Amino acid sequence: MSQNPEIGKSVRTGSFNTNVHDAGSGSGVPALLIHGSGPGVSAWANWRLVIPALARDRRVIAPDMVGFGYTDRPEGIQYNMDTWVRQALDLMDALGLEQVDLVGNSFGGALALALTIRAPKRVRRLVLMGSVGVPFPITQGLDAVWGYQPSLDNMRSIMDYFAWDRALVNDELAKLRYEASIRPGFQESFSAMFPAPRQRWVDAMQSSEADIRALPHETLIVHGREDKVIPLATSLTLAEWIQNAQLHVFGHCGHWTQIEHNARFNRLVGDFFAEADQQSA
């Protein structure tokens, strides 16, 4: 067994293997967590404080999406929504999951939206945190994140965009994320994913307004008021378009709701899923 906590188990998804964290059990609908798109990110880096809390009541699945973390990087693969949605559905099929509660962070929110639109019966409830997926002009923060070039100083400055609480953005975290970003293959796939001009990648992750408005799913939308990476306006749009939506905005919070307000986030999401469990019991 690897000593690296970022490495889970390997699951075959289509033509490549996906690195997956698979925790907890229980009779409820499993939760599938989809991470964001920062440099050096992995499912574990994104969700390490969430997985144990949610896994107390249900099975929790957190994959590294292709191009990120410890999932295979097949030569010639196209990094786009079609590829990522297919990977997520292949993973559900491989694990025998007919339906999941879906949690998406940032880039992962856009992916969660796209998956729910394309395969609505595979998703029970939807959680979108600091989500992409609707039109917005790219922020200086997101442009800097996607344009990251590996150096410790660059990683430090990017961390400043992510967190409102500067105490969270210490040199140790910056060093860990910098070292993650320079592992073999990591920066190569990352820089290939979002080359300038980067507004087009924001646009490519959008789902259509009509498709979003047609979603019947109960949806929890979460955003940090001081988010400098994805503007709060995106979640206001989602809350307006999704008919069965509730929006929770955390003050004194940047792009890392699940870290900066971890206990509150875990309770909010856990209660949201538990409500559906009780309704179906």
Side-chain angles (χ1 to χ4, degrees):
M1 184 69 184
S2 166
Q3 295 306 299
N4 183 347
E6 292 185 272
I7 298 176
K9 68 181 187 182
S10 186
V11 177
R12 191 73 177 168
T13 48
S15 61
F16 57 89
N17 292 324
T18 293
N19 179 51
V20 183
H21 299 274
D22 189 344
S25 57
S27 56
V29 169
L32 176 61
L33 314 184
I34 302 180
H35 59 73
S37 62
V41 77
S42 67
W44 181 253
N46 204 140
W47 300 117
R48 65 190 181 281
L49 302 179
V50 176
I51 292 170
L54 293 183
R56 285 198 288 267
D57 298 311
R58 67 194 63 253
R59 187 177 178 188
V60 180
I61 313 292
D64 288 346
M65 301 314 294
V66 65
F68 299 96
Y70 290 88
T71 287
D72 289 350
R73 289 169 163 75
E75 200 172 326
I77 194 161
Q78 297 293 305
Y79 294 121
N80 58 34
M81 275 297 146
D82 290 341
T83 297
W84 287 312
V85 169
R86 183 74 265 151
Q87 178 192 6
L89 290 170
D90 284 346
L91 175 62
M92 289 173 62
D93 291 343
L95 296 176
L97 306 178
E98 187 178 332
Q99 192 179 56
V100 295
D101 286 331
L102 193 52
V103 184
N105 169 28
S106 195
F107 148 83
L111 174 49
L113 261 180
L115 190 157
T116 306
I117 288 164
R118 295 179 198 194
K121 289 185 166 53
R122 304 299 296 271
V123 179
R124 182 179 68 164
R125 285 195 163 196
L126 184 59
V127 178
L128 303 171
M129 186 184 85
S131 182
V132 187
V134 295
F136 69 96
I138 193 166
T139 60
Q140 183 181 335
L142 182 57
D143 200 45
V145 167
W146 280 352
Y148 167 81
Q149 292 297 318
S151 80
L152 191 51
D153 284 345
N154 285 348
M155 184 58 84
R156 267 199 206 97
S157 68
I158 279 175
M159 295 285 105
D160 281 338
Y161 282 114
F162 277 111
W164 177 82
D165 180 358
R166 289 299 179 269
L168 286 173
V169 186
N170 55 31
D171 286 351
E172 184 185 10
L173 177 63
K175 186 167 182 285
L176 278 172
R177 289 298 293 264
Y178 165 65
E179 287 171 353
S181 77
I182 57 170
R183 290 178 188 133
F186 274 48
Q187 181 60 20
E188 289 82 351
S189 57
F190 185 73
S191 60
M193 230 174 269
F194 308 116
R198 297 187 180 88
Q199 180 66 47
R200 57 188 162 151
W201 309 120
V202 172
D203 300 344
M205 289 184 190
Q206 289 175 26
S207 292
S208 80
E209 179 178 348
D211 284 342
I212 295 172
R213 286 185 181 275
L215 287 174
H217 302 70
E218 289 286 342
T219 303
L220 170 65
I221 303 166
V222 182
H223 216 112
R225 186 181 63 197
E226 284 80 21
D227 193 334
K228 293 180 181 175
V229 180
I230 307 300
L232 174 58
T234 64
S235 283
L236 297 175
T237 300
L238 286 164
E240 183 187 331
W241 289 359
I242 298 173
Q243 52 185 308
N244 294 315
Q246 51 182 293
L247 171 62
H248 292 254
V249 180
F250 289 98
H252 297 164
C253 183
H255 193 53
W256 280 347
T257 315
Q258 84 284 22
I259 294 171
E260 294 195 81
H261 290 265
N262 174 247
R264 287 170 165 178
F265 178 82
N266 291 342
R267 277 198 303 275
L268 192 60
V269 174
D271 288 349
F272 182 63
F273 293 160
E275 179 184 73
D277 293 339
Q278 287 157 10
Q279 288 171 357
S280 60

